[in-house]
Structures are given as C-alpha cells and as structure tokens.
Amino acid sequence: MRDVAKAAGVSAQTVSRVANGSTAVRPQTQQRVEAAMTKLGYRPNYAARALKHGRFKNVGVLMHNMTSNGNVRILNGIVSAAAESGYAVTVHTINGQANQSLNSAITHFQQLPVDAVVAVLERRVPDFNEFDPAKDLPVVLISEDPANHCPTIDADQYGCSTAIVDYLLSKGHRTVYHVAGPSWSRAAESRAKGWRDALKQFGIPLPKTYVGDWEADSGYQAGLALAREEDCTAIYAANDQMAYGLVQGLVANGKRVPQDVSVIGVDDSLLGVVPRLTMTTMRMKFNEIGREAFSMARRQCEGEEVPVGVKTVIPAELIERGSVRDISE
C-alpha cells in the first residue's frame, strides 16, 4: 500500500479506501490509484483482508450433483447474486456418497475459506432434524422440509401439483394420471403427494402411478403404457424431460397430443432447447431460489438474524402453451 501510495501521490489510507471499494474517493484520485496498482502489479490480498475483517467474501455451495437442470439453475442464481455482492463461490458435490450426514459434509467447508454454506438437498440426509450449524459458519438449506436450526427455502413442490390437478380438472378431464420422479427425490415425493391429495379432495380414485427417473426415455416408456389406458385423457409428468418423452411415447402408440391426451410438465427446462415448444408446464423459479438462498447466507454473515424453523416458499408459475386441451364442452 505504501508503494502504491507513493506512485500515485496519495496517502496509504486513500489506497486502502480504493482497494476496499469505498465511495469516499474522488473519481480522478481513484483512477490514479488504480493505474498505480496496475503498473506495480499490486492487487487486494483477500487472505489478508479476511484476517483483518474476519470474512473471506466467499460462500460454499453443497450439492448432490451439478448435472440436473434444477441444480444448474439454482447454482446460476447463487453465483450471479454472489458476484453482485463481491463474493466468490466454492462448490462441493457429494454425488454417490450414500447416507452421508449433513454434519460431515458441512465439516468439509469448515476447513475451507468460506463465510457461509448453501446446501442443496435433493435427497434425505440422516441427521436433517438434528443438524445444528457451528456459530461461525452460517448454513442455509434449499430443502423441501423446514429445518430446526437453519433458514430453509425451496420451490412449492406440493402446491404446484395441486394447482396442476385443479387446472386439468377445470378443463373437463375426469382424472389425472401421474408420471412420478425417482423415489429418492424429495421433490418427486412432494409432487406425487400433492397430486394424490388433490385427487382425493375431489373424491377421484387414484389411477395407477408410473415412475420415471427424470429423463426423457423413462417418460417415453410411460407414454407407451399410458396410451393403452382407456380413461387416460390427461397426464401430469413430474418434470419436462419426462413430459417430452411421454408425448413421444403416446404418439408412437397412436395417440395425439393434445387432441386425445393432454400433457403437462414441471420446471420449464425445455425453453430454448426444443424448437417450437408446445409443452404446457409449471415454471419453477430455480434462479430466484438460488439468489434468495445466497441473500439469506450473506445477511447472516453480516450479523442479521434470519428466521429458522420455517421455510421460504417460492411459488411456481403456470405457462400455458399447446399440450393441454379443454374438453369441458
């Protein structure tokens, strides 16, 4: 700092202000200091800054994997919000590590230069209800269930299903078949429960459930089978990839969509991927979830109390395109 101050003809305090992003420096002076820093090859030392201020300006992200559409979009939300606040992001995945406890996964981050952790929990963890984060490392959970000791946020998995059933029944369909996601997924579990509860509320017997694995091929196989169900005029698939495969399977077995069978998915992940997209869906606002999760983490780092034991719910949005037919007339 003394070297930069000498080269720029200013005080070391002014250099410190520029390095820390203070607005209490005239623009001309800031430019002179930045030019001197560039010329001398100096840059702010974040490790030293962390020692002085007690923060690394870095947030950890724990995920089961980085390949699923929802996780990618959540991560994008976290990264973009972090960048806007001057934070970096460190990602750690636990894919394939069956029954790993949340405590052991978070302990990994205690050895890294991070100020807080956002954990994206697709699967159940054995110590979910007992987990209590260390006082010096705030944790935010993106989880279907509210946690006892951590702020929690997620999409409205259950509510999107009840809304879908209501929507399809309002179009004149007498029942709604469901292609569920894999049994290990908490989101799939809640979406299936919302579907079951909504049909029960209307006094409609539950039709047979078909289970996929989030991928289009499993939807295709379900479509081949569902084409043979005589009372099947409406199908709700737990994500858009399976919904897309479902349509292909129905068509391959002689059904037309939506003339014979209406199909709706969840997440709106095919936009920009499938040309001339006609899939009606419930759009999950994953990017918004990621941004808000980072905000919860940052606010805790800054000493703010963020409520625990409750879940912040981000509602889904119905996107009507052309795969659902109104048969009420």
Side-chain angles (χ1 to χ4, degrees):
M1 284 173 57
R2 287 194 298 270
D3 292 342
V4 173
K6 182 178 180 180
V10 299
S11 68
Q13 186 178 26
T14 298
V15 175
S16 176
R17 287 173 179 162
V18 172
N20 285 285
S22 172
T23 58
V25 180
R26 289 182 298 178
Q28 308 95 296
T29 303
Q30 179 177 334
Q31 291 172 9
R32 200 160 70 245
V33 171
E34 289 174 345
M37 291 173 72
T38 300
K39 180 179 179 181
L40 294 173
Y42 279 63
R43 62 189 182 279
N45 186 311
Y46 289 94
R49 182 180 293 178
L51 288 173
K52 181 176 180 180
H53 299 288
R55 286 195 291 159
F56 296 99
K57 300 281 279 187
N58 187 13
V59 63
V61 177
L62 174 69
M63 312 185 95
H64 284 95
N65 69 77
M66 293 176 59
T67 58
S68 69
N69 169 70
N71 283 359
V72 169
R73 290 159 68 186
I74 287 172
L75 182 59
N76 181 68
I78 295 171
V79 170
S80 58
E84 291 167 10
S85 296
Y87 276 69
V89 174
T90 298
V91 181
H92 175 60
T93 61
I94 54 173
N95 192 24
Q97 300 178 36
N99 297 320
Q100 180 172 9
S101 70
L102 184 57
N103 184 67
S104 64
I106 297 299
T107 298
H108 172 80
F109 281 103
Q110 291 180 301
Q111 304 167 29
L112 299 175
V114 298
D115 302 314
V117 177
V118 176
V120 186
L121 300 182
E122 292 177 90
R123 301 170 180 256
R124 293 185 182 278
V125 290
D127 59 339
F128 180 85
N129 292 320
E130 296 77 29
F131 174 73
D132 192 1
K135 300 300 181 185
D136 59 346
L137 187 65
V139 175
V140 174
L141 301 181
I142 298 179
S143 167
E144 182 59 14
D145 299 311
N148 295 329
H149 307 291
C150 305
T152 313
I153 183 172
D154 202 358
D156 189 1
Q157 316 285 2
Y158 181 92
C160 88
S161 290
T162 59
I164 284 172
V165 172
D166 289 349
Y167 171 71
L168 291 171
L169 294 181
S170 74
K171 299 295 185 183
H173 300 279
R174 297 194 175 188
T175 191
V176 178
Y177 280 78
H178 183 46
V179 180
S183 59
W184 53 258
S185 168
R186 291 290 292 112
E189 182 181 339
S190 289
R191 291 175 195 178
K193 186 177 189 304
W195 164 75
R196 289 193 300 268
D197 289 352
L199 287 180
K200 288 177 182 177
Q201 185 177 7
F202 284 98
I204 299 173
L206 293 178
K208 179 181 177 181
T209 304
Y210 292 79
V211 179
D213 60 7
W214 291 138
E215 296 186 359
D217 282 342
S218 66
Y220 181 84
Q221 294 302 319
L224 292 176
L226 281 161
R228 296 191 292 268
E229 299 285 354
E230 293 184 1
D231 65 338
C232 179
T233 64
I235 308 171
Y236 156 37
N239 78 336
D240 277 5
Q241 289 189 51
M242 292 194 301
Y244 185 78
L246 177 67
V247 171
Q248 307 309 310
L250 289 167
V251 171
N253 227 354
K255 296 291 186 178
R256 300 168 300 164
V257 176
Q259 293 88 342
D260 301 319
V261 182
S262 293
V263 175
I264 185 170
V266 173
D267 65 30
D268 201 25
S269 63
L270 302 180
L271 185 63
V273 177
V274 175
R276 302 176 64 85
L277 183 62
T278 60
M279 182 67 66
T280 294
T281 187
M282 290 291 282
R283 176 180 291 163
M284 290 294 190
K285 301 177 182 178
F286 294 116
N287 191 71
E288 183 178 336
I289 292 168
R291 295 183 67 87
E292 182 58 27
F294 169 78
S295 175
M296 289 175 166
R298 178 186 56 76
R299 281 153 38 208
Q300 289 183 92
C301 291
E302 295 172 355
E304 183 179 332
E305 290 287 334
V306 180
V308 302
V310 294
K311 172 185 167 185
T312 298
V313 176
I314 306 298
E317 177 187 1
L318 176 64
I319 306 297
E320 294 186 277
R321 294 194 176 101
S323 62
V324 172
R325 179 187 172 203
D326 189 336
I327 62 172
S328 59
E329 297 180 358

